[in-house]
Amino acid sequence: VPARVYPPGEVGAYSNYGTALAGYIVQRVSGEPFETYVEQHIFEPLGMGRSTFRQPLPSGLAADMAQGYGYARGAYLAGAYELVAGTPAGSMASPATDTARFMIAHLQGGQYGAERILEAATVAEMQDAQYVPDPRSGGMGYGFFRSSLNGRRIVSHEGDTILFHSGLYLFPEEDVGLYVSYNSAGGSLARTELLEAFVDRYFPASEPEPVEPPADFATRVNAYTGEYHLARANYTTAEKLLTLFQAGQVTVGPEGHLAINLLGQTEQYVEVEPGLLRQTQGEGRVIFTFDEDGRVTRALPADRAAFTAFKAPWYATLGFTTPLVIGGLVLFLLTLVGWGVAYFVTRAHDKAALPPGAARVARWVATGFVIVSVVFLIGLFSIVGNVNPTYGVPDVFFGEAPGLSAVTSLTYVIAALAAGMVVMAVWAWVRGFWSRFGRGWYTLVTLVALSWVWLLIYWNILGPGF
């Protein structure tokens, strides 16, 4: 059982594990496998005979499965059927006609025709706000997001595999629903565009009044800027590193507006009240939370209550990590070149001037650190960079990659060599190796080496983090 990261009710972090756990509770209470329970109590009463949670697909349904496609090098590539771990969290396969029956049942208080799967009060409770992190947020229902467009209340849920992107949207007051499922990567943005076009077509409203920032907004704008990491992340394995590459960004954009990108799209926002920003040309809102010292700590899209993003500390940002890695590598390589040149020049002119044996050992320890680190980086990037063209993600996502254990075991060697550099740096000052500048340079190289080890520890890469 994964350890709980945040106290209950304090941070919205969408959780596939939580959804799977809810399905497991159904299984334990009913005494039936989750797939069987859903078939008997939801699919059969609603006439959803072509829907299933079973994996792989039963033979009677496999022939009807839509083909999912990736896109690479100018061509569409057919993908295999995607298996989802934690069945209740996303393994359902269904045609749009079946899903429509489920939506109609929700719009009709749990009833479809003569069949009822839920009491009307239960349906209302599911769609009502159960978690509201901020009164300016739409909150979350039981499994439903709550939002609005053109003044119309929407309860919805979107679902994604790598190749399929679906969206289910209910308009309870209008007794209307919209469902769409795309079978390629572009569907993630396409469903949002479709929803907005649908609402503009059938529920038109006047354009929201453009907003301008308050006169003193420029004095506070920098408080919002920075790198933001979603609370929906891995904290205990090396997958934590993905937060660096999935980070949201808040920057100062044109005309002093804030350019906010938290969930994949960048829009321009201005402050309409402390901690609340609204799109300059739209309805989107983002809520920011401040600590007691007035510093921004987190951001939350108002219609995505389960996607809290924390403002990352400076040492956990891509802007800090990248220069540290690249700059450190350049420093190490220049140092090795310098040492090599100095050694051969001294050897050629005055062998007696060569540093003592302990000093040479110190340099060999540092050289070993650099060599092993470079081998580790090459090995790691070759594995992570082996991207599956169909799915657009590294093959390591689908299972143990050949050589990964050997590569990660090098992190222990890196840590041991860095510790050796610390010992040799102290020894150099005690015994007076080299010049004062040489000792200072070795100490600098040692500190950078220690910072690399800190990175390995912080991002759960050292040892068995993978």
Side-chain angles (χ1 to χ4, degrees), residues 212-456:
E212 293 296 330
D216 62 345
F217 182 52
T219 65
R220 298 188 305 278
V221 66
N222 289 329
Y224 296 103
T225 60
E227 184 170 302
Y228 289 76
H229 296 168
L230 287 175
R232 186 196 189 196
N234 191 305
Y235 292 85
T236 56
T237 74
E239 287 183 33
K240 178 181 178 181
L241 189 63
L242 293 178
T243 58
L244 274 180
F245 306 101
Q246 298 171 339
Q249 299 291 339
V250 178
T251 58
V252 179
E255 302 177 11
H257 301 161
L258 280 175
I260 299 179
N261 181 340
L262 295 178
L263 297 174
Q265 289 181 288
T266 301
E267 303 287 351
Q268 302 296 317
Y269 289 78
V270 296
E271 188 183 62
V272 293
E273 63 180 68
L276 180 65
L277 282 85
R278 205 201 86 181
Q279 279 180 273
T280 55
Q281 301 292 330
E283 298 182 56
R285 296 173 300 149
V286 177
I287 301 164
F288 289 85
T289 302
F290 297 83
D291 63 17
E292 60 273 10
D293 297 320
R295 294 172 299 197
V296 172
T297 58
R298 64 181 75 173
L300 179 71
D303 60 352
R304 288 290 184 268
F307 287 95
T308 303
F310 287 99
K311 191 172 184 179
W314 60 269
Y315 55 80
T317 63
L318 194 61
F320 170 77
T321 304
T322 301
L324 179 57
V325 173
I326 296 178
L329 187 59
V330 171
L331 174 69
F332 292 146
L333 295 179
L334 288 176
T335 298
L336 295 191
V337 171
W339 286 348
V341 170
Y343 174 80
F344 285 109
V345 169
T346 304
R347 182 183 178 89
H349 293 86
D350 185 5
K351 291 184 179 181
L354 287 172
R360 292 197 293 272
V361 170
R363 288 180 173 178
W364 276 114
V365 171
T367 300
F369 175 88
V370 176
I371 292 173
V372 176
S373 296
V374 169
V375 171
F376 167 74
L377 289 173
I378 292 174
L380 181 63
F381 285 122
S382 66
I383 292 172
V384 175
N386 186 24
V387 175
N388 186 296
T390 301
Y391 299 97
V393 297
D395 281 329
V396 68
F397 277 53
F398 303 106
E400 177 73 16
L404 181 60
S405 296
V407 169
T408 55
S409 67
L410 294 177
T411 58
Y412 291 116
V413 181
I414 292 172
L417 288 169
M421 290 174 66
V422 172
V423 173
M424 299 311 297
V426 173
W427 193 242
W429 285 100
V430 171
R431 297 298 300 271
F433 299 159
W434 315 301
S435 66
R436 186 176 296 273
F437 175 81
R439 294 194 296 272
W441 188 268
Y442 192 91
T443 301
L444 172 63
V445 172
T446 300
L447 291 175
V448 175
L450 289 176
S451 72
W452 275 29
V453 173
W454 174 84
L455 284 177
L456 295 176

Side-chain angles (χ1 to χ4, degrees), residues 33-204:
F34 176 81
E35 298 83 352
T36 302
Y37 183 90
V38 172
E39 288 169 355
Q40 294 180 355
H41 298 277
I42 298 177
F43 293 163
E44 290 180 13
L46 297 183
M48 298 171 64
R50 309 297 290 171
S51 300
T52 186
F53 273 95
R54 299 184 183 277
Q55 300 181 102
L57 280 176
S59 57
L61 300 178
D64 295 339
M65 182 64 201
Q67 177 64 59
Y69 292 93
Y71 187 80
R73 296 187 289 273
Y76 286 98
L77 306 174
Y81 186 78
E82 297 171 85
L83 301 178
V84 178
T87 293
S91 61
M92 178 180 170
S94 177
T97 48
D98 275 14
T99 302
R101 290 171 177 258
F102 177 80
M103 296 167 69
I104 291 170
H106 251 279
L107 291 169
Q108 297 183 157
Q111 186 169 356
Y112 181 86
E115 298 292 337
R116 175 173 291 279
I117 60 170
L118 294 168
E119 295 297 326
T122 304
V123 172
E125 186 176 8
M126 288 183 68
Q127 298 179 6
D128 198 12
Q130 303 297 328
Y131 168 68
V132 184
D134 186 284
R136 298 168 293 188
S137 164
M140 279 289 297
Y142 285 127
F144 285 112
F145 291 89
R146 292 164 47 85
S147 60
S148 64
L149 279 175
N150 290 1
R152 310 289 175 152
R153 183 170 70 95
I154 305 172
V155 292
S156 64
H157 200 103
E158 296 172 337
D160 303 272
T161 61
I162 297 176
L163 302 182
F164 285 82
H165 302 274
S166 306
L168 186 155
Y169 310 97
L170 300 175
F171 300 78
E173 280 72 35
E174 287 70 32
D175 199 30
V176 167
L178 171 68
Y179 173 75
V180 64
S181 186
Y182 293 90
N183 61 334
S184 63
S188 180
L189 296 178
R191 64 188 172 198
T192 301
E193 296 173 357
L194 175 64
L195 173 65
E196 293 173 350
F198 176 86
V199 174
D200 287 341
R201 171 65 177 83
Y202 292 103
F203 308 118

